[in-house]
């Protein structure tokens, strides 16, 4: 399995990922799964600047994800998969990419969102996606960086 | 593309205000109030006499925003440029939000790796070594190593951003942050080694023999290796220090 | 004593502001803060010695997003004030057993400061809400006021923490030398060299490349050999 970590993060590639998780899980590839980015070459080119000789950054759409993971596997790389929302993560799982654990790093605040941790705010549809993932055996954990303790969500319901 | 329409005094006000971009850092919007505060002089000038558009413009900068504060100067400059174009009717206001949100993560990643992950450790270790000679020299070196590149990025990045997206991109590529980050980290590691050697030397009692010195050195290398491994496994320095405190209390009891 | 604490509040507040709210020109680094605390409480060299060790201990913990590193500024105020108080009472001599104990105890300040930092950032959510609501009503100046409120809060909490930690530091600096009998090599004095070593490891852990590790140990060996040769000559 080439995926060292599957993470939901509104900001996708940023400092917590590049300076925190990449060295922690010793990844050498970031797979950014996002339809908006795949269609925006300017934003992609800026995001690529966050890579370095030992960190390749690849982009794909939600539909292409299983092919992209197979390609990473073929190259023998260890990757962190990044997507923007829990529902994207659920679609990735449904698309045939298996993963046992999901890390939720940042979900930005917005009207009607409920605070889970200071940097993760759930909308109603996020609860649904997370429950759907859990029903398929995925362990969901809210954790910004490797330096802080994780907070597990789930076991059927949410604790507040 | 029309040239900039803001007077220099307004640009300078925005540039100065970027130093307070984290002044109201909060969990929900992070740097949102700070960013709106920074760009406010430009908005006031661009939308003078159009209060409703001014309110709308401020509101779009009160949306969630977070990036590395020094590298954020590039985004701030580019946002000023975009606001000029929006005020002149050449750009859709929604493009500003898309641009900021799209860039803040990437620019933050580059900035966090360069400033927090490489330049700060380099300045710190260089300062800590020179502090053995005299603390004031150490302090001066620390501030100089960090702040020359820091203020350079704050001003050049802002300028490049204000010249448009392409120039901002050229700045980010041309500044070679990737290579600089790796180089600074390597130099910091070299200085870290020298600092470690100084620590071992200070642990040696006066009149120790070569044998003892080599023994101490070997022990220090092993310990440094152990500590590094623990830090890389995300063990917190606080935990290690607390452990040492307990060890100290046990030894101290005798 | 009162003017010392007043100055601590002002200078500590400024250094704390540099940490997050304003500038980030590294005035908040422990080497600087420890030296200032040392100068205010009677011994600049003692404060600087404590600050120089603290400088590197937490260097690998980055302030990224909502992840907040331990408060090494507060730790440096505590350890700097304590080390200076102890040195002043001992006529200027630095007792490394006391400094080591202070540095280890400073963990508590670092963690307490982190909790206070989180509190400020939570209160700032309220300030941001009020600001946004006021802008909605057309009150443009609310942006300036909201930011000023945030900066004031960061500064006031920083000043309060500075006074508190300096106070604890002075207490610890008076008490610890009584606990350690003078001239005796006790546990904490033996632990002291481990702390800069932790700092060195912290710097190395900022980099993951093979090259950095090799350079680190090479530099350590060459520097150590050089220092020995310089001080002892080739016997």
């Amino acid at each position: 399995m080439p995926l060292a970590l599957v993470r939901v993060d509104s900001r996708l590639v940023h400092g917590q990922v590049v300076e925190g998780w990449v060295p922690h899980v010793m990844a050498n590839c970031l797979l950014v799964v996002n339809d908006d980015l795949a269609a925006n070459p300017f934003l992609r080119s800026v995001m690529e600047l966050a890579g370095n000789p030992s960190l390749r950054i690849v982009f794909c759409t939600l539909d292409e994800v299983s092919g992209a993971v197979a390609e990473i596997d073929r190259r023998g790389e260890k990757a962190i998969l990044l997507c923007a929302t829990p529902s994207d993560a659920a679609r990735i799982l449904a698309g045939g990419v298996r993963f046992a654990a999901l890390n939720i790093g940042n979900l930005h605040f917005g009207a009607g969102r409920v605070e889970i941790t200071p940097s993760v705010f759930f909308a109603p549809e996020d609860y649904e996606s997370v429950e759907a993932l859990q029903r398929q055996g995925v362990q969901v954990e809210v954790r910004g960086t490797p330096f802080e303790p994780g907070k597990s969500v789930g076991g059927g319901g949410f604790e507040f | 593309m029309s040239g900039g329409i803001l007077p220099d005094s307004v640009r300078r006000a925005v540039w100065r205000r970027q130093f307070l971009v984290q002044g109201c850092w909060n969990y929900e919007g992070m740097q949102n109030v700070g960013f709106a505060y920074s760009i406010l002089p430009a908005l006031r000038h661009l939308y003078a006499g159009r209060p409703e558009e001014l309110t709308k413009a401020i509101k779009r900068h009160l949306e969630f925003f977070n990036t590395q504060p020094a590298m954020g100067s590039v985004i701030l400059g580019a946002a000023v440029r975009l606001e000029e174009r929006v005020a002149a009717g050449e750009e859709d206001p929604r493009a500003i939000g898309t641009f900021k949100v799209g860039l803040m993560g990437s620019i933050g990643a580059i900035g966090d790796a360069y400033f927090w992950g490489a330049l700060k450790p380099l300045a710190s270790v260089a300062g800590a070594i020179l502090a053995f000679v005299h603390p004031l020299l150490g302090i001066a070196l620390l501030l100089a190593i960090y702040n020359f590149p820091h203020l350079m990025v704050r001003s050049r990045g802002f300028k490049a951003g204000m010249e448009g997206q392409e120039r901002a991109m050229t700045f980010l590529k041309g500044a070679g942050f990737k290579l600089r980050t790796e180089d600074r980290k390597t130099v910091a590691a070299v200085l870290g080694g020298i600092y470690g050697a100084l620590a071992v030397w200070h642990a040696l009692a006066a009149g120790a023999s070569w044998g003892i010195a080599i023994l101490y050195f070997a022990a220090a290398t092993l310990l440094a290796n152990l500590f590094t491994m623990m830090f890389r496994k995300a063990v917190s320095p606080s935990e290690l220090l607390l452990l040492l405190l307990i060890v100290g209390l046990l030894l101290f009891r005798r | 004593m009162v003017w010392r604490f007043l100055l601590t509040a002002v200078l500590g507040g400024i250094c704390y502001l540099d940490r997050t709210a304003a500038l980030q020109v590294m005035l908040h680094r422990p080497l600087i803060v420890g030296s200032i605390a040392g100068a205010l409480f009677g011994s600049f060299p003692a404060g600087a010695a404590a600050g120089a060790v603290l400088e590197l201990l937490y260097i690998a913990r980055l302030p990224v997003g909502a992840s907040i590193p331990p408060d090494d500024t507060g730790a440096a105020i505590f350890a700097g004030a304590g080390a200076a108080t102890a040195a002043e009472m001992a006529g200027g001599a630095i007792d490394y057993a006391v400094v080591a104990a202070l540095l280890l105890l400073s963990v508590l300040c670092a963690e307490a400061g982190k909790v206070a930092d989180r509190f400020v950032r939570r209160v700032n959510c309220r300030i941001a809400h009020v600001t946004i609501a006021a802008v909605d009503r057309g009150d443009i100046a609310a942006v300036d006021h909201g930011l000023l409120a945030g900066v004031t809060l960061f500064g006031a909490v920083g000043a309060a923490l500075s006074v508190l930690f300096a106070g604890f530091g002075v207490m610890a600096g008076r008490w610890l030398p009584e606990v350690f009998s003078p001239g005796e090599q006790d546990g904490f004095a033996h632990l002291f060299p481990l702390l800069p070593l932790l700092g060195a490891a912290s710097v190395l852990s900022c980099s993951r490349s093979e090259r950095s590790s090799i350079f680190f140990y090479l530099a350590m060996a060459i520097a150590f050999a050089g220092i020995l040769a310089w001080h002892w000559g080739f016997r």
Side-chain angles (χ1 to χ4, degrees):
Chain A
M1 189 64 193
L3 294 181
L5 181 78
V6 178
R7 173 170 167 108
V8 172
D9 196 322
S10 305
R11 272 175 282 168
L12 298 168
V13 175
H14 66 120
Q16 292 187 346
V17 176
V18 173
E19 285 294 294
W21 288 104
V22 165
H24 187 67
V25 303
M26 291 187 283
N28 51 12
C29 178
L30 287 179
L31 173 60
V32 185
V33 188
N34 190 284
D35 288 353
D36 294 339
L37 263 178
N40 190 328
F42 175 72
L43 293 183
R44 278 207 314 271
S45 63
V46 180
M47 210 168 260
E48 271 165 0
L49 290 177
N52 59 51
S54 50
L55 182 69
R56 200 168 70 98
I57 303 187
V58 215
F59 302 89
C60 73
T61 61
L62 283 161
D63 293 331
E64 298 162 354
V65 61
S66 62
V69 172
E71 166 73 10
I72 289 166
D73 198 16
R74 201 180 53 73
R75 294 171 67 121
E77 288 174 332
K78 200 169 178 186
I80 294 177
L81 186 154
L82 294 167
C83 59
T85 64
S87 73
D88 284 357
R91 264 188 71 189
I92 291 165
L93 188 71
V97 177
R98 307 300 308 174
F99 50 90
L102 178 71
N103 166 271
I104 300 184
N106 288 284
L107 278 175
H108 295 163
F109 177 75
R113 285 177 173 265
V114 178
E115 177 179 332
I116 307 294
T117 67
S119 64
V120 173
F121 299 85
F122 270 22
E125 64 267 25
D126 294 327
Y127 285 105
E128 285 164 27
S129 305
V130 165
E131 274 163 26
L133 284 160
Q134 283 170 334
R135 275 197 300 276
Q136 293 175 72
V138 177
Q139 293 278 337
V140 181
E141 186 187 44
V142 176
R143 194 177 183 189
T145 65
F147 308 115
E148 56 202 51
K151 180 176 176 181
S152 66
V153 275
F158 287 93
E159 308 140 46
F160 291 101
Chain B
M1 292 255 281
S2 60
I5 48 176
L6 285 171
D8 279 349
S9 62
V10 173
R11 291 174 186 222
R12 274 199 300 273
V14 175
W15 189 82
R16 276 196 307 272
R17 283 180 171 222
Q18 66 164 315
F19 287 98
L20 289 175
V21 73
Q22 301 206 104
C24 190
W25 202 103
N26 63 90
Y27 281 118
E28 289 176 9
M30 297 198 181
Q31 298 168 347
N32 61 343
V33 178
F35 197 94
Y37 169 81
S38 303
I39 204 168
L40 189 62
L43 300 182
R44 273 186 196 275
H45 190 274
L46 290 169
Y47 300 100
R50 291 187 280 173
E52 270 174 28
E53 282 178 64
L54 175 59
T55 306
K56 262 190 206 154
I58 293 173
K59 284 281 286 180
R60 62 177 163 255
H61 292 290
L62 282 169
E63 296 282 321
F64 180 98
F65 184 76
N66 197 50
T67 194
Q68 202 277 339
M71 288 296 278
S73 60
V74 181
I75 301 184
L76 183 61
V80 170
R81 171 80 190 142
L82 283 169
E83 284 291 354
E84 283 181 352
R85 291 172 55 81
V86 170
E90 295 168 14
E91 187 86 67
D92 182 350
R94 277 171 301 183
I96 298 177
T98 316
F99 176 81
K100 281 171 67 186
V101 171
L103 253 71
M104 64 185 183
S106 317
I107 299 245
I110 300 168
D112 287 335
Y114 178 67
F115 283 104
W116 301 150
L119 192 61
K120 190 167 88 170
L122 173 63
S124 283
V125 69
I129 289 174
L130 203 59
F132 279 105
V133 181
H134 194 284
L136 284 179
L137 289 177
I139 290 172
L141 185 68
L142 188 160
L143 291 175
I145 291 182
Y146 187 82
N147 284 313
F148 275 117
H150 170 217
L151 297 176
M152 197 75 97
V153 167
R154 290 257 200 194
S155 72
R156 291 211 181 143
F158 183 70
K159 208 182 251 170
M162 272 199 319
E163 283 166 18
Q165 295 187 9
E166 288 78 21
R167 276 285 298 129
M169 197 59 198
T170 321
F171 168 77
L172 291 171
K173 273 189 183 144
F177 286 104
K178 271 183 212 181
L179 292 175
R180 282 165 195 252
T181 299
E182 282 312 301
D183 286 355
R184 302 265 178 307
K185 282 187 177 182
T186 310
V187 178
V190 169
L191 293 179
I194 295 173
Y195 182 81
L198 283 166
V200 184
W201 162 252
H202 276 273
L204 279 177
S209 68
W210 277 94
I212 296 286
I214 289 166
L215 199 68
Y216 266 55
F217 182 78
T221 334
L222 288 176
L223 277 171
N225 200 16
L226 177 72
F227 291 151
T228 308
M229 260 166 44
M230 291 172 91
F231 285 145
R232 285 181 179 166
K233 291 252 179 286
V235 172
S236 146
S238 296
E239 287 162 9
L240 274 178
L241 291 173
L242 274 179
L243 186 75
L244 286 180
L245 181 64
I246 292 163
V247 170
L249 289 174
L250 291 176
L251 286 179
F252 182 58
R253 247 179 37 184
R254 274 169 299 183
Chain C
M1 197 41 99
V2 174
W3 66 266
R4 284 184 171 181
F5 278 101
L6 275 176
L7 270 176
T8 304
V10 174
L11 296 176
I14 292 171
C15 293
Y16 260 108
L17 276 179
D18 180 71
R19 200 175 165 81
T20 307
L23 297 174
Q24 292 100 37
V25 292
M26 300 296 117
L27 287 179
H28 68 274
R29 297 307 305 156
L31 176 60
I32 295 164
V33 177
S35 303
I36 293 175
L40 286 177
F41 289 92
S43 171
F44 170 76
V53 176
L54 268 174
E55 178 64 39
L56 299 178
L57 286 181
Y58 299 97
I59 199 75
R61 303 292 301 273
L62 315 184
V64 280
S67 162
I68 297 167
D71 174 15
D72 50 4
T73 305
I77 291 175
F78 169 83
T85 304
E88 197 184 28
M89 290 197 312
I94 300 173
D95 180 348
Y96 282 96
V98 172
V99 178
L102 283 166
L103 289 172
L104 293 177
L105 287 170
S106 74
V107 177
L108 304 173
C109 299
E111 293 298 322
K114 185 164 133 181
V115 174
D117 197 344
R118 287 205 184 122
F119 167 76
V120 172
R121 291 165 193 239
R122 226 169 238 291
V123 176
N124 279 349
C125 288
R126 303 291 299 267
I127 297 177
H129 285 190
V130 171
T131 306
I132 292 169
V135 170
D136 275 334
R137 291 193 306 269
D139 175 9
I140 307 305
V143 177
D144 289 347
H145 298 156
L147 190 104
L148 191 66
V151 172
T152 309
L153 185 63
F154 268 116
V157 171
L161 287 179
S162 304
V163 170
L164 191 69
F165 292 154
F168 286 144
V170 170
M171 270 153 54
R174 284 190 182 150
W175 173 68
L176 284 169
E178 290 171 19
V179 183
F180 301 119
S181 40
E184 218 171 319
Q185 282 290 323
D186 38 46
F188 282 99
H190 289 302
L191 286 181
F192 183 77
L194 288 181
L195 298 173
L197 215 52
L198 265 177
S202 223
V203 173
L204 177 57
S205 71
C206 291
S207 172
R208 297 283 166 148
S209 73
E210 281 284 307
R211 196 175 62 155
S212 289
S213 290
I214 294 168
F215 282 178
F216 175 87
Y217 291 111
L218 218 65
M220 192 164 158
I222 293 170
F224 190 62
I227 295 167
L228 287 189
W230 173 263
H231 282 277
W232 293 357
F234 290 97
R235 288 189 232 161

